[in-house]
Structures are given as C-alpha cells and as structure tokens.
Amino acid sequence: VEQARLEMKQLGGRLAAANPEFKRWRHDVYEGMYDRTRGFGSPVYSWLFVGVAMCVLLIACTNVTNLLLVRAAERRGEMAIRTALGASRARLIRLALAESTLLGFSAAAIGALLSVWGIHLLLILIPTQGFPSYIQLGIDARVLGFTLLLAVISVAAIGVTPALDGTRLDLVKALKAGGDTMVTNSALARSGRRGVAIEIALSVMLFVGAALFGRSFQRISSTDLGYAAGKLTQPWVTLDRTRYADDSSRLRFFHSIAERLAADPRVENVAIRGYSQRLDVDERARKAALLGKKDPGGSYDDLTGIFLTEDPANSVDRNLRPQLNKWGVSDSFFQTMGLAIASGRGFGIQDQAGSQAVAVVSESFARLAWRRPDVVGRTFTAGRGGTPITVIGVVRDYKGSFRNPSGLRIDAMPSVYYSERQSMPVNVRPVVRVRGNIAAFAQALPAIVREVDPQAIVERVWTMEREEGGEARQLSQVFGSILGVLAMCALVLAAIGTFGVIAYGVAVRRREIGLRIALGGTHSQVVGMFVREGMRAIGTGLALGVVIALATSQVLRGILLGVSPFDPLTYAVTVVFFGTVALFACWLPARRAARVEPMVALRGE
C-alpha cells in the first residue's frame, strides 16, 4: 500500500504539471477499496479453489494407491525371490518408488498439457466480459513449478505406502504357494473400503458446494429486477479528458449522443444518468471551506450526506450504507427505465437550474428515511445546512446486486434522483431502451458516437440486467462452473474407485463364491453380500461427507444469494444422487460375481 501511495503521489504531480485543474485534487490509495475485489481476489476464495483442487487430487491419489497396493500384493512372490537372491529392503523400496515416480511425473506432464485446453474450456463456461483484469489465466513458470511440486507430493503420497507394505515380507510364507494370500487380501479389502469412504466424503463435500452455487445462480436468474433490464443498456463511452475538461462539456456531448439515438429506429427511448451529490454554487463554496479545515471531522457526511429537515442532526447516508444511490437524470429517465411514478410527479421542463430545488425518491428510500410511503412535499438537504430540496415524487424501486456485511445481495436500491439541470452529474452515461436485439445495436453504436466525436471510444455495451445484477451473477457462475467441473471429476473418480475395490474383492474371492454357490447359495445372495459390504463403506463416506460439507460451506456464505449453506434440499439431493451412483458402482462387479461357475472356480484352485 505504501508503494502504491508513493506511485500515486508521483502520478498526481505529473497530472498537476500537465493541467492546473488537478492541482486542487487530492490523490491517495485507500485500503478499503480492496473490498471491491473480495469476490475473486480474497485470499479466502483463492485458498478455497486450491483446497478444492487438492481434494480432487487426493481422491485420485487414493485410487492409485489402492491399485498399487493390489499390485504390490500380487508381486509379493517376486519380491520374496529378489530378497532371497540378496536384494536389501531399501533397494526394493527404491525400485517401487522409481516406478511411482515415473507414473507421477508422466501424469504431471500430461496434466500440464491438458490444463492448456482446460483454460479454454473454463473461458467458455464462465462470462469473460467484465472478468476481472487482475485475474490472469495462463500457464507460466510458476504454474509449471507448482505442477512439478504436486508431482513430487503425489509420488510420495501414492508410492510410499505400497513400497513399504510390499517389501515387508515373511520369506517362508511368501515363497509358499498361496502363503499369506488370505491375510494380505483381507488387509487390502479393509484398506480399499477406507479409501472408498474417504473418496465419497470428499466428493460429497465438493458436490454440495457446486449444488449450492447452482441454486444460487438459479435464484439470481429468476429474480425480477423491477424493470425490463434485458432491453436496457448503458454504453460505456470514453472521452478525451483534455478536450472535455469539465462536467458540463461532457454532459453536452452525451446530450448530442442522446439526440441521435432518439432518432434511430432501433431505439425505443433514451435518457441520461450520472452520479450526483446535488451541490449548487453555495454548496460548492461551503465544500471548499470545509475541505480547507485542518480537521474537518465527519466532513464527508456534512458535505454530501442527506439530512432530513425534521431531523437535521442525522445523516441518512450513514444509516443506509453501503448502498444509497444519488443520481442526476434527464426528464425521460423514468419512462426509459420503465419505473412507474407511485405518487407525485417526475421531472419536467419547469425544473430549471434557477427554480426550486426538487428531487424524486424511490419507495425504499422513503420507507427508510421517513418510515412512510407518501412523502411528497417533504424536504431534505444535500449536506448539513444546505439548500432545502423538496420531494416532488416517489418512484418504484429497482433491484441491483451489492455486498454488505451479511454477504452478497440482490435487493431494492434506495435512490434519490435530481434533475440533471439542477445538479451537475458526473460519470454520465446514456440509458437506452432497445427495440430489438441489443447485439445489433451494439455493432451500430460506435458509428453513431463517431458522428459526434471521431475520437470517442465505445468500450462496452452490456445489458443493465448484467450490470445491476452482474456481481452476484458472475460470482455464482464462475465459482459454480469451476466447482461443478471439479465435483464431476471427483464423482467419476469416486465411482471408479468404488468399482475397483468391489471388483478386486470379487476377483480374490472367486473360490469362496464358487463354494457358496456349490453349497446352495443363490445369485441374489452373492450380489447382496458384496453390495452390503460396499454400501457400508459408502454409507460411512456419505455421513462423513455431509459433516465436512456442513463445516466447510460456511466459507461460501458471503457469495451465495438466497440459499443457506445448510440448505436441506441440496444435501438431500446430493446424498441420494451419490448413493445411487455408488450403489450402481457396487452392483456392477457384484453381478459379475454371481455369474461365477462353481466348477470353474474350484478347478482353478
């Protein structure tokens, strides 16, 4: 932060040297602005993604470890012969680790290659327009170094246990035909079932997170914002600040744009909107005086806050933070937005710069400020002791997304509207209601803008639906897409692991199965035996996964909208879905066990 402040001070000096107007400006860096990036840049969510990816890696490592344990059991005879011929245990462990290392680093190389394609897939799944510029998606030396580190960790995770287990030998038993096979197979079966329980638990946790984001995105998409947001757009147009040095020149430019857009057959209606603190000449002088104080103390509210005439000591802004909008708008704004006037009137030609100061307020602002809906005729000031402003109308609310201490919300936006003739709005943008396709209008807009100023640049044309509900929608879509892909990977791996453990159990118990069937056991009894054994491990995993999900989903509370981290429907659907998939993964190899012919199994012995 200190380095950024120093750089900002240098930039401020250069600006002041280039344009005397900037000598009056104050330049600083506020740490609180970090909150604007908490959706994507917060370390909590960065580590969340790392943790999720590690869970999938752990599931994969568990599967491979089970496979290597089986392979080590099958090679116990080979290892016994090597030991009998003079090989030390350390040498046998190095042999097993060398094989694991080859496997791990080959997988890392393939994974790094696949990640290049994975980034392209990710950019298809998530909205790229408006995607934060500070998030760089690409493969670089750090990513490759991290991949190499993961390969080393994975080799240690999947290779050490089988290497140690496979080289722990009783030579006499190991060299005998079938020596300690039953003991080894029993231990492997227990280890495999524990692995299945861990895989299922981690997969359930990931799937719950993805399902919560999916439900949150569904809520966002179905939320009525209170106006025809899909037909409205606020184009971002960038102007040369040296040629448009003051707010009035920029406002004139946008009026010229609005006139041309109004004549375009693709445009149904057009208006102008910008931020406004409603500071007239007297207030500007008062602002300059307050800023000149060495210790103004609360001067931000004194200057720009809204104070009710009947309660001049209280700032409404402080009570409504973090979200209170103050707009300077043209007369056609409410009609363009499709916001009905609930009482009173909107702005008209009679509201000129020298006439009585007036405002229109939203219904939510009226309720929060005066505790009643009918507030036409009430007065307030923009700044402590400023010019009285009379409320001439109350307009219907519209909704937008914002962040407060309780998390992400889409809710009514308390708003105060001033006539753009009585207050000089800043950051002015046209608001356009399009008749047809906004994409077609967006292609034609640059040519219309260049008619007014060839150097003006149209940066982007988004629907207001995306802008006003954009943060909530984007967070849910990005997080949900990534978690969804990883959760599906985890589900597939867990199903494969379950199938593999049960299939291995069937393979090593062929003689037992043959004897059971020869002694009168039915096929359904054999299938039921293996399914019950598998479902015990799966049931343990499901229960453990729900507990872990309940504990970890608290991290998501701040970025879920309209869905509780403890949403019972999400947990119920996840458990039923995973239980069904796991049951099918148990049933397939169990059905194969029931097809064992007793004579074939016994003859093989």
Side-chain angles (χ1 to χ4, degrees):
V1 174
E2 291 305 319
Q3 184 180 352
R5 285 197 175 116
L6 178 62
E7 185 175 350
M8 197 69 195
K9 184 177 180 181
Q10 295 170 350
L11 290 171
R14 287 163 55 188
L15 282 171
N19 188 335
E21 180 188 351
F22 290 109
K23 289 182 180 178
R24 296 183 286 110
W25 284 39
R26 177 187 174 197
H27 305 88
D28 204 346
V29 175
Y30 295 94
E31 294 182 62
M33 289 300 289
Y34 176 71
D35 291 337
R36 295 294 300 272
T37 66
R38 290 197 70 81
F40 292 97
S42 167
V44 173
Y45 301 129
S46 300
W47 284 110
L48 170 66
F49 278 138
V50 172
V52 167
M54 288 300 180
C55 286
V56 178
L57 178 63
L58 180 59
I59 293 170
C61 287
T62 303
N63 273 349
V64 177
T65 301
N66 281 338
L67 292 173
L68 291 180
L69 282 170
V70 171
R71 189 163 183 267
E74 292 173 348
R75 297 175 65 187
R76 291 176 76 83
E78 173 198 339
M79 294 300 176
I81 293 173
R82 289 177 180 270
T83 303
L85 293 175
S88 65
R89 190 183 181 198
R91 185 170 182 176
L92 296 181
I93 291 174
R94 286 200 304 271
L95 171 64
L97 288 178
E99 294 170 353
S100 301
T101 301
L102 182 62
L103 178 65
F105 283 97
S106 300
I110 297 171
L113 178 62
L114 289 175
S115 66
V116 176
W117 299 328
I119 288 173
H120 294 300
L121 175 63
L122 184 63
L123 292 175
I124 292 171
L125 293 173
I126 64 176
T128 52
Q129 281 190 316
F131 193 76
S133 59
Y134 49 83
I135 294 183
Q136 302 297 323
L137 298 177
I139 304 297
D140 56 18
R142 291 176 302 171
V143 174
L144 292 176
F146 186 67
T147 304
L148 181 63
L149 176 63
L150 283 185
V152 173
I153 295 172
S154 300
V155 166
I158 67 177
V160 170
T161 301
L164 294 175
D165 186 74
T167 57
R168 189 180 294 114
L169 300 170
D170 183 328
L171 281 181
V172 176
K173 288 184 178 181
L175 290 172
K176 285 181 180 179
D180 56 353
T181 303
M182 294 301 293
V183 176
T184 302
N185 290 343
S186 177
L188 283 174
R190 289 194 300 272
S191 174
R193 287 195 291 270
R194 284 195 295 268
V196 166
I198 293 171
E199 291 178 40
I200 295 292
L202 294 175
S203 301
V204 166
M205 179 189 70
L206 299 184
F207 213 84
V208 165
L212 288 173
F213 275 117
R215 296 204 67 199
S216 178
F217 185 72
Q218 184 183 27
R219 292 286 179 89
I220 294 167
S221 301
S222 61
T223 299
D224 181 11
L225 297 180
Y227 61 101
K231 289 293 184 182
L232 289 165
T233 179
Q234 284 190 118
W236 284 81
V237 181
T238 301
L239 301 175
D240 182 353
R241 286 278 178 162
T242 60
R243 296 171 56 238
Y244 297 90
D246 54 58
D247 295 330
S248 59
S249 63
R250 290 190 285 273
L251 185 60
R252 286 194 298 273
F253 168 83
F254 283 107
H255 270 295
S256 300
I257 293 294
E259 291 173 5
R260 283 167 170 75
L261 290 175
D264 193 300
R266 289 168 292 221
V267 175
E268 183 178 338
N269 217 326
V270 63
I272 286 174
R273 176 171 80 167
Y275 297 109
S276 177
Q277 300 291 358
R278 183 56 183 84
L279 294 172
D280 57 23
V281 177
D282 294 335
E283 272 90 43
R284 288 177 191 274
R286 185 167 50 82
K287 175 183 177 182
L290 280 170
L291 287 177
K293 293 180 181 179
K294 289 185 178 179
D295 184 17
S299 63
Y300 181 84
D301 285 334
D302 290 341
L303 290 168
T304 63
I306 289 178
F307 295 84
L308 307 184
T309 303
E310 55 266 41
D311 189 11
N314 249 334
S315 170
V316 177
D317 295 59
R318 187 183 297 115
N319 298 334
L320 295 186
R321 284 177 187 162
Q323 197 64 41
L324 171 59
N325 292 324
K326 302 169 188 175
W327 302 111
V329 301
S330 61
D331 296 347
S332 59
F333 175 76
F334 301 119
Q335 180 184 356
T336 301
M337 288 283 290
L339 300 175
I341 301 293
S343 61
R345 66 175 179 86
F347 298 118
I349 195 66
Q350 67 269 36
D351 303 313
Q352 296 295 325
S355 61
Q356 179 189 11
V358 296
V360 175
V361 300
S362 68
E363 290 178 316
S364 57
F365 178 84
R367 288 192 301 269
L368 290 165
W370 286 285
R371 305 292 191 273
R372 54 184 296 181
D374 184 14
V375 297
V376 174
R378 298 274 182 160
T379 59
F380 63 89
T381 61
R384 194 185 299 276
T387 303
I389 301 169
T390 302
V391 177
I392 60 171
V394 179
V395 70
R396 300 292 185 194
D397 282 316
Y398 75 91
K399 294 180 180 179
S401 70
F402 58 91
R403 190 183 297 278
N404 64 12
S406 64
L408 196 65
R409 293 178 60 193
I410 290 185
D411 208 344
M413 311 285 272
S415 302
V416 177
Y417 303 93
Y418 306 113
S419 170
E420 46 98 8
R421 289 185 296 272
Q422 293 190 346
S423 68
M424 183 58 65
V426 298
N427 295 332
V428 176
R429 293 165 64 189
V431 179
V432 186
R433 181 186 285 271
V434 180
R435 293 185 191 277
N437 190 343
I438 284 187
F441 168 76
Q443 292 179 349
L445 183 62
I448 298 173
V449 171
R450 283 195 296 269
E451 291 177 8
V452 181
D453 184 351
Q455 296 183 23
I457 299 170
V458 179
E459 286 193 30
R460 64 175 184 258
V461 183
W462 288 353
T463 63
M464 287 190 69
E465 180 180 32
R466 181 167 196 169
E467 288 210 35
E468 300 297 348
E471 184 182 17
R473 182 184 297 271
Q474 195 175 59
L475 280 172
S476 294
Q477 194 168 353
V478 170
F479 279 74
S481 297
I482 296 174
L483 266 181
V485 169
L486 292 174
M488 290 308 297
C489 291
L491 172 63
V492 171
L493 288 171
I496 291 172
T498 304
F499 179 91
V501 167
I502 302 300
Y504 176 73
V506 169
V508 299
R509 295 170 66 182
R510 286 173 61 87
R511 180 170 180 269
E512 174 195 341
I513 296 167
L515 285 171
R516 286 178 180 273
I517 295 175
L519 294 173
T522 64
H523 288 194
S524 60
Q525 288 174 334
V526 172
V527 171
M529 178 182 67
F530 282 101
V531 168
R532 282 193 300 273
E533 290 179 2
M535 289 306 293
R536 278 198 292 271
I538 290 164
T540 303
L542 289 174
L544 184 60
V546 169
V547 172
I548 296 173
L550 287 170
T552 57
S553 59
Q554 284 296 312
V555 179
L556 309 178
R557 183 181 290 276
I559 47 177
L560 292 175
L561 187 78
V563 179
S564 167
F566 307 124
D567 179 51
L569 179 61
T570 300
Y571 285 85
V573 170
T574 300
V575 169
V576 171
F577 178 66
F578 261 84
T580 303
V581 172
L583 177 62
F584 185 71
C586 287
W587 176 78
L588 277 178
R591 187 185 63 163
R592 184 186 305 168
R595 293 177 178 175
V596 171
E597 290 293 335
M599 293 306 297
V600 175
L602 295 175
R603 188 184 301 126
E605 293 296 325

